[in-house]
Amino acid sequence: MKVMKACKSTRLASVSFVLLLARYAHAALYDHSSATVISINDDTLTPLNLPVPIKFRDMDINNIYISDNGLVTTDATKETFADAIKTNSIWIAPFGGDVAPDVNSKIKHATYLAPGTPPPSGVNVHVNQVYPDVNFSPTSAYVITWENVDMIGDSSFTGNTFQLTLTTDGTKSYAIFLYDVISWYPGVTGVNAGDGNVQRVCNTDTAAAQQLPQKTNIAACGVDPGVVVLRIDQTGIWGPDCVTVSQPEACTTQGILGGGDRNSQTLPFTSCATTMICGALLILIVRQLT
């Protein structure tokens, strides 16, 4: 009887452990340890050639300009944030804002061309999570990282860290936004075609922006939080509604740990030993937090 009670207690602890992980977990940025670091100053644009063009609506984009202000543009004259986000400009912004780079800020870029240097595996995973019917297999990806960038005129926040990945299979193209830390806001997040069509993520001009590392634009079980994926090759009407983001649906513990059907309601904790291990892990985490 005592053993059964212990198992029941640790099973509850195990479930709590899973929920705790779900609450604080978010997708990791793609590895950028060997990416090229850009020399930045306030309101600067750095050109980046795209050996394999990105399909953008009815055009091929072969060159982009990386702005310290949390976006990329196709226009070399759009140096300031205010100019870059005008409605007649093409811009792609994971988190655009008036940035004041400091000694702790870094901007990096990396180019991946299959088969020699294949894109990070997460590119394929994240696109297919959000667009499960496209069977996407990228042939190229361009990953840009803004690390610890500060908002101009306000040093009370820590810096924001996020990524933009532009990827294509030669036909379909996507912009992937990954969020590690969003401390300050407001920001502009989305894709603007410069012809009145825009895909804009909702509420990034409010405190809700700070929750982007825990949200996604498809709230399905198993989708990584902190990921927004937008398709950018389609020529239909974008908008007028903004793109909503929310926390992914909570998978059952079977779906998370059991390797089974995501819709299963069966707990994977089939033995007392398993639940005791998970309970012990929970205790260790709590001790670390306190």
Side-chain angles (χ1 to χ4, degrees):
M1 181 63 71
K2 289 182 178 180
V3 172
M4 291 180 64
K5 287 182 178 179
C7 289
K8 183 178 180 180
S9 176
T10 51
R11 181 168 294 150
L12 290 173
S14 300
V15 173
S16 299
F17 170 67
V18 172
L19 294 176
L20 182 68
L21 290 180
R23 170 65 179 83
Y24 291 102
H26 57 80
L29 300 184
Y30 303 144
D31 179 46
H32 53 92
S33 58
S34 59
T36 300
V37 178
I38 298 172
S39 177
I40 57 172
N41 293 296
D42 190 27
D43 292 334
T44 58
L45 294 174
T46 300
L48 179 64
N49 174 256
L50 311 183
V52 176
I54 292 293
K55 302 289 183 180
F56 188 87
R57 293 184 66 81
D58 58 352
M59 68 184 79
D60 287 346
I61 294 180
N62 296 280
N63 296 279
I64 58 174
Y65 297 88
I66 303 170
S67 170
D68 61 301
N69 292 313
L71 54 84
V72 301
T73 179
T74 59
D75 190 336
T77 68
K78 304 294 186 180
E79 294 181 335
T80 69
F81 176 64
D83 281 343
I85 61 167
K86 288 182 177 179
T87 56
N88 63 348
S89 300
I90 293 175
W91 49 260
I92 303 172
F95 202 82
D98 199 353
V99 167
D102 63 19
V103 294
N104 297 313
S105 303
K106 291 182 181 179
I107 302 177
K108 310 174 183 179
H109 68 83
T111 295
Y112 299 90
L113 303 174
T117 53
S121 59
V123 173
N124 174 53
V125 170
H126 290 139
V127 171
N128 286 295
Q129 282 181 339
V130 179
Y131 298 90
D133 299 325
V134 300
N135 193 27
F136 182 72
S137 181
T139 55
S140 61
Y142 309 97
V143 180
I144 303 159
T145 305
W146 287 262
E147 184 176 0
N148 198 36
V149 291
D150 293 321
M151 179 172 63
I152 194 166
D154 192 342
S155 59
S156 61
F157 294 100
T158 58
N160 290 351
T161 298
F162 51 89
Q163 276 182 339
L164 164 65
T165 296
L166 298 176
T167 185
T168 186
D169 63 1
T171 302
K172 300 178 291 294
S173 295
Y174 300 87
I176 304 173
F177 305 154
L178 291 183
Y179 299 99
D180 182 48
V181 176
I182 298 296
S183 174
W184 56 264
Y185 62 89
V188 174
T189 298
V191 182
N192 190 68
D195 59 2
N197 289 284
V198 60
Q199 300 181 70
R200 188 187 293 266
V201 176
C202 303
N203 300 322
T204 60
D205 57 344
T206 73
Q210 295 173 314
Q211 299 174 16
L212 281 172
Q214 285 78 47
K215 294 189 175 183
T216 178
N217 60 324
I218 180 167
C221 166
V223 173
D224 289 332
V227 181
V228 173
V229 183
L230 302 176
R231 187 167 177 178
I232 59 176
D233 63 274
Q234 294 175 311
T235 57
I237 296 175
W238 292 353
D241 296 333
C242 60
V243 178
T244 59
V245 293
S246 58
Q247 290 186 339
E249 293 177 1
C251 293
T252 64
T253 46
Q254 177 71 24
I256 296 172
L257 298 177
D261 184 357
R262 286 178 173 174
N263 295 319
S264 171
Q265 298 298 317
T266 305
L267 291 175
F269 308 115
T270 56
S271 70
C272 182
T274 302
T275 54
M276 284 184 173
I277 290 171
C278 289
L281 288 172
L282 177 63
I283 292 170
L284 289 173
I285 288 178
V286 171
R287 285 180 176 175
Q288 289 294 322
L289 293 176
T290 57

